[in-house]
Amino acid sequence: MSATRRQFLATSALTLSAASYNRAADKPNEKVRLAVMGLRTRGKQLVPGFASVPGVEISHVVDPDPAMVKPVLDALKNPESPPKVETDIRKVLEDKSVTAVVVSAPDHWHALATIWAAERGKHVYVEKPVSHDLLEGRRMVQAARKYKVVIQAGTQRRSSTNVAAAREFIKAGKLGKVPFARTWIAGSRKPIGKKADEAAPPKSVDYDLFLGPAPARPFNANRFHYNWHWFWELGTGELGNNGIHGLDQIRNVLGLDAPTRISSMGGKYVFDDDQETPDTQTATFEFPGCTVVWEHRVWEKNGPEKMSYGVILHGEKGTLLFDNNGWHVRDGEEVKEPSGPDMLKAHQKNFIDAIRGDAQPNADIEEGHKSTRLCHLGNIAFRTGKVLKFDVQTETTDSPEANKLLGREYRKGFELPKV
């Protein structure tokens, strides 16, 4: 039995029930102090929304590149108490006044920062995909339960009123059986080109902290800001970057749990550049009674239905299509459901409400892990070229080659804690 398989047998033996957030409601009336880790893109987008929730203070902003700080401070628009600026999340976690951490750093940091925070009794809002590999996701679920903290996945469609309406529509049987679902993205993204390694990173950047758990590599600008997405040691490709949204949405509205078989095909058919991950990919997930397909062509301007992003559910009694205006049903009962209130702000408020003990998290880490698990399995099927059978009890596949990709090796000093 492989080491990876033994790890999964051990970690999966723990039966996980609905979370008991005892620690969340200890001091419900106190100010919630948030530290935001990872500022360049998602952190900058999340800060204003969290700061607008009554009783929330952005206490710290954290990034290994100081150049990322000023735009975030500007987005706060003169707060009463400006946040402290740090490069190392470990210093922030030593501060007992910090209530929670927002992890919007690159994928390879998600699990480690989340578990470190949970160990110290801090709640976590972790961006999608919640983990860099499948083993990490299960450890994150275990950490939430062991340390009794709220860990919310940044899959904001879980807080969308119109997605909830679609779920109820389908539960009521108005689409009949739904044996096929499809989600996609077309990004019209440009290639990143080819760049040589550099002798040293920019002087202000703490490159060792940027790498964190990932293997030591010379600095290369193509493996740094944002483009880290397209390298396996740091990111999860377009399937993890955007596929997580559509796959989570489908799991949510159809009530799907784990796939039984997974396949994936594609490649770098258009871009001639440094990217390791495919610019063109399909991934197929077989669930009991339903097949789900993800597809991306990041070079294409418009995808199916003339939309760059979409989710479509093919049912016996009609076809339900999510679009920019909400969702509608065609070839069946005529229904149009408009987009509801700002789902990101609702998702952020739900996290704060959960911390205060006033609500359950709409995207508990267990659900975040299950949806992210699909991304990992799709990428592993692509990388191995195999059709994989998945055992949900052990969270392993029938392929020893594939099982080697369920976890990873960690750089010394950044090892994933046992839970």
Side-chain angles (χ1 to χ4, degrees):
M1 186 183 295
S2 69
T4 302
R5 185 172 177 82
R6 285 197 299 271
Q7 287 176 309
F8 270 90
L9 287 170
T11 58
S12 298
L14 179 62
T15 301
L16 299 173
S17 59
S20 173
Y21 302 110
N22 296 336
R23 190 187 299 271
D26 284 348
K27 300 177 181 179
N29 297 319
E30 286 194 357
K31 184 181 289 290
V32 173
R33 303 184 78 241
L34 293 182
V36 180
M37 175 191 182
L39 306 179
R40 183 183 183 274
T41 303
R42 195 56 173 162
K44 183 170 59 177
Q45 294 168 347
L46 291 172
V47 159
F50 276 121
S52 70
V53 178
V56 172
E57 175 189 347
I58 306 299
S59 64
H60 297 76
V61 291
V62 189
D63 200 284
D65 185 354
M68 299 298 103
V69 173
K70 187 178 184 303
V72 173
L73 297 182
D74 291 344
L76 283 171
K77 298 180 180 178
N78 302 316
E80 292 183 11
S81 179
K84 295 181 181 178
V85 178
E86 294 284 1
T87 57
D88 193 335
I89 189 62
R90 289 170 291 192
K91 293 183 179 179
V92 176
L93 296 177
E94 293 169 1
D95 188 336
K96 294 182 179 180
S97 73
V98 173
T99 313
V101 177
V102 177
V103 180
S104 47
D107 297 355
H108 68 290
W109 258 107
H110 287 188
L112 184 58
T114 295
I115 294 174
W116 277 351
E119 286 177 327
R120 291 156 179 82
K122 303 186 189 303
H123 310 288
V124 182
Y125 181 104
V126 57
E127 263 305 327
K128 56 76 194 171
V130 299
S131 59
H132 180 264
D133 60 63
L134 201 150
L135 175 58
E136 290 183 343
R138 179 52 60 192
R139 292 269 185 93
M140 295 164 81
V141 175
Q142 292 175 333
R145 308 306 184 242
K146 178 177 180 178
Y147 300 111
K148 295 182 172 60
V149 295
V150 177
I151 302 181
Q152 168 108 303
T155 45
Q156 64 268 15
R157 287 167 178 79
R158 290 266 170 175
S159 292
S160 167
T161 56
N162 77 319
V163 171
R167 183 176 64 243
E168 295 307 309
F169 183 86
I170 292 167
K171 282 178 66 176
K174 295 181 178 180
L175 275 188
K177 292 181 180 179
V178 183
F180 185 79
R182 180 187 189 194
T183 180
W184 65 86
I185 198 164
S188 194
R189 185 174 288 139
K190 297 183 184 301
I192 65 174
K194 297 182 179 182
K195 295 183 180 179
D197 292 342
E198 299 178 28
K203 289 183 179 180
S204 61
V205 172
D206 191 326
Y207 185 57
D208 185 68
L209 278 179
F210 170 81
L211 288 175
R217 294 281 185 268
F219 180 83
N220 188 304
N222 261 352
R223 296 170 58 92
F224 193 41
H225 286 319
Y226 195 78
N227 287 336
W228 55 263
H229 279 290
W230 323 128
F231 297 87
W232 294 121
E233 291 176 348
L234 304 170
T236 51
E238 189 64 10
L239 182 48
N241 183 39
N242 277 309
I244 177 66
H245 285 304
L247 293 172
D248 182 70
Q249 194 169 337
I250 290 171
R251 277 196 59 248
N252 183 10
V253 298
L254 296 183
L256 301 177
D257 187 64
T260 54
R261 287 196 304 171
I262 308 97
S263 64
S264 180
M265 290 185 288
K268 282 187 65 179
Y269 298 151
V270 177
F271 294 164
D272 179 18
D273 60 9
D274 284 340
Q275 295 182 68
E276 294 176 347
T277 60
D279 58 34
T280 306
Q281 185 180 7
T282 62
T284 302
F285 307 90
E286 183 181 84
F287 293 86
C290 181
T291 293
V292 175
V293 173
W294 160 259
E295 57 187 75
H296 73 248
R297 293 174 294 280
V298 298
W299 41 267
E300 185 180 28
K301 185 175 182 180
N302 279 314
E305 307 288 337
K306 296 183 179 180
M307 297 192 305
S308 61
Y309 169 83
V311 173
I312 191 166
L313 310 174
H314 296 269
E316 289 180 290
K317 300 178 181 179
T319 300
L320 190 153
L321 176 66
F322 286 91
D323 56 29
N324 294 331
N325 299 313
W327 58 267
H328 65 275
V329 175
R330 64 190 184 200
D331 302 324
E333 180 179 340
E334 291 300 320
V335 176
K336 288 188 177 181
E337 181 73 22
S339 297
D342 188 317
M343 60 186 170
L344 178 56
K345 287 185 177 179
H347 202 54
Q348 292 176 287
K349 185 177 183 301
N350 171 252
F351 174 60
I352 302 302
D353 288 345
I355 288 175
R356 290 174 171 150
D358 296 332
Q360 292 291 308
N362 289 340
D364 176 71
I365 185 60
E366 177 82 54
E367 297 302 328
H369 166 60
K370 287 180 178 179
S371 294
T372 300
R373 181 170 67 187
L374 297 179
C375 303
H376 296 320
L377 291 171
N379 279 331
I380 290 170
F382 167 77
R383 295 174 72 181
T384 60
K386 296 181 180 296
V387 176
L388 305 175
K389 292 182 179 179
F390 183 65
D391 183 339
V392 67
Q393 297 302 317
T394 62
E395 292 197 295
T396 58
T397 78
D398 61 338
S399 165
E401 180 185 356
N403 288 341
K404 291 178 182 178
L405 297 176
L406 294 173
R408 72 175 303 165
E409 296 294 327
Y410 294 90
R411 203 157 59 96
K412 187 175 180 180
F414 298 93
E415 297 89 352
L416 194 69
K418 294 182 179 179
V419 179

